[in-house]
Amino acid sequence: MRSLRPLLTGLLLLCVIRVPGGAGETEVYIQPRRAHLGAGIRIFGFVQPGREPARVRIELRKPKSGENLVQLVDARENGEFEWLFEDADETGFWKVKVNKEATRDVVEESFQITSGVFLGKLADDLSGLSGTESEAGREFRDLLEDYPVFPGKDDMLARAAEALRMLDDLRDHLDRLREADRKLEQSLEDHAGVPEAAREALREAAAGAGRLSESARREDSSLRELFEQSRRASEWCRRWSVFKDIFDRMGFFSNFMTDSITEIASNLNVALGVSQMPYEVSQAIWTVVHVLGVAVTGEASVLGATAFLVNTFSGLSSASYDELLQNCTRFSGTMEGEYSARLEINGAPYFFMSYKLSAEVDLVFQKIRPGDPAVHLRGQVSGHVSDFDASLEMGIFMPPGTMIPSWTRIPVPALSGRTFFMSLAGKAENDRLEIGLEDVSHDFELKAKGYYVILSLHAPIPLADVLEFPLMDAEWFFTRVTEISRSDPKSISLRIENDGAQPTVTGEFERSMYIPPGPKRAAVRVSMTMRLHLCSPECGRLLPLDSSGRTGGEHQGA
């Protein structure tokens, strides 16, 4: 009888990382983490698969009575599970324990149920974002004051001052909203007999507030990162370009905020219209709606301040862009890439993984004319990865008659964990751009996981194990596909093409790599492609005409 021991020992060397089977493989996610009384709570995740589909034990502990609820859920063949809990009948923090049945790998989580609508939390998150916006506005005002006089400078300073004043007003309105929400939550706690139709409308309002809160936190992080890029930039053109993008983002989010607040207030108005609503609750809801601004009084409100900021930020973005094009050249566009890797043993592939990469690229430099010397170039790449895929084929290692069910997955983090931000530096000449990687602010970290179970007459019990292999990040991808990791100087050279209407830059890169096996590592084959396409000032937008009727591109060395 042939032993499986040599084969299993060999499997230990197949990947860079081997994870002990059954250890720490349970993942649990909860959506939403905060919800109104009676809302549905989605509990889902992953447990390590085995010979048979696993059963998952979900235990909930009520916040007030302490009662425990237990639900058994059948996981799918690949280990994924999901359960919708619809009986959240107590306010407070619910404790959640999840484990694969008959294992000790327990994951603990929690979610919050409240009678309120989470507008206090929304006020906190929006106040944090508006604080970052004020900080950026003051920095821009100081930059503008030191900038040489140009037509429209005083108007831009006035707009910046208006924006700062209105951001202060917005935070005052959010303070009022926080207090109004506290009173609303108290009145809902005191009056349990709110009609179900009103409860449903309140649940919708709470869900909308939760979505806006999450978006505000995400936007605050992105805006601060962009703001820090401006602080690190020393060239005028780079700082003007970053602030133009900042005002674009601030205006876009203000518009999104206007729509979201209107939707929240509409749901609150639906609750107000339900008959048999307790008077105190109706009054508390009306106060919240009034502070939000969806009322006939026309007084200053959250919505009024936000609508004002939409127009103000739009004006600052437009003015910044006009001034940028007066003195600087801007190329912007996209970068698209594909990455795939496979592990091999003795030339036979067994573990496959891939992803796609997409990014926005922005480059700026001082405007140059034919014959001028090269100037410094600065830029950024901001993107994300998607379309993850992996597969595992273990049959090549086993003797005939052996079954090896296998599953693969790439645990994907929250959106922020799938993004990357790289700073570029180089030089610009009349007909060419030299672009290199200057810095990486943040990058993604992903791994492909392969789970397999060995079923054989030669083994007394099923044998399960896990293999892991990292997916290379954006910095590795960019420096390898362009080969700047081994070039000197470490940059790519791209020609500026001009068809008479718009200067463009296009670069296409393709590379295959083979990394030979090591003492404890399988061989790796990597394939990568990347396409870079940029236009000045941006694709689909032509440069303004100069006094002679020609496009500005003819004066930018294109």
Side-chain angles (χ1 to χ4, degrees), residues 517-550:
K520 294 185 178 182
R521 188 195 66 233
V524 186
R525 289 190 187 274
V526 178
S527 297
M528 297 169 286
T529 61
M530 188 184 84
R531 186 175 190 273
L532 187 68
H533 182 65
L534 309 175
C535 310
S536 181
E538 56 190 78
C539 295
R541 180 168 181 170
L542 300 182
L543 291 161
L545 299 178
D546 64 14
S547 58
S548 66
R550 298 174 298 180

Side-chain angles (χ1 to χ4, degrees), residues 421-453:
F421 193 100
M422 302 187 294
S423 297
L424 305 177
K427 63 181 181 179
E429 301 181 71
N430 281 282
D431 62 349
R432 189 166 298 278
L433 302 179
E434 302 283 341
I435 304 171
L437 181 63
E438 181 180 42
D439 180 46
V440 179
S441 297
H442 75 257
D443 212 334
F444 58 87
E445 294 184 19
L446 295 170
K447 294 177 182 178
K449 291 188 176 184
Y451 303 84
Y452 62 91
V453 180

Side-chain angles (χ1 to χ4, degrees), residues 132 135-136 139 220-234 238-239 242-243 246 380 421 423 439 441:
T132 301
E135 193 176 351
E139 187 96 357
D220 191 18
S221 176
S222 299
L223 192 61
R224 183 158 292 281
E225 182 175 83
L226 199 56
F227 181 32
E228 292 302 323
Q229 290 292 320
S230 168
R231 285 180 163 173
R232 288 196 291 269
S234 56
R238 177 69 182 135
R239 300 200 74 187
V242 172
F243 272 111
I246 286 175
Q380 67 184 43
F421 193 100
S423 297
D439 180 46
S441 297

Side-chain angles (χ1 to χ4, degrees), residues 177-218:
L177 178 62
R178 195 178 291 108
E179 177 62 20
D181 180 69
R182 186 189 65 78
K183 293 180 179 178
L184 172 58
E185 184 165 358
Q186 186 60 56
S187 68
L188 287 167
E189 286 279 358
D190 294 342
H191 297 83
V194 174
E196 179 56 29
R199 283 286 182 196
E200 180 60 32
L202 292 173
R203 281 193 283 270
E204 290 296 324
R211 289 191 294 269
L212 183 54
S213 274
E214 182 180 353
S215 297
R217 293 192 298 272
R218 191 164 56 240

Side-chain angles (χ1 to χ4, degrees), residues 87-105:
D87 297 314
D89 56 359
E90 289 187 9
T91 59
F93 285 91
W94 290 61
K95 302 295 184 181
V96 183
K97 292 183 179 180
V98 178
N99 67 286
K100 182 179 177 181
E101 202 173 28
T103 69
R104 297 181 180 179
D105 181 21

Side-chain angles (χ1 to χ4, degrees), residues 385-412:
V385 286
S386 63
D387 294 351
F388 312 100
D389 195 17
S391 62
L392 182 65
E393 297 179 5
M394 301 295 290
I396 62 173
F397 303 105
M398 295 293 117
T402 303
M403 294 179 59
I404 313 180
S406 62
W407 305 266
T408 54
R409 65 192 301 266
I410 299 177
V412 179

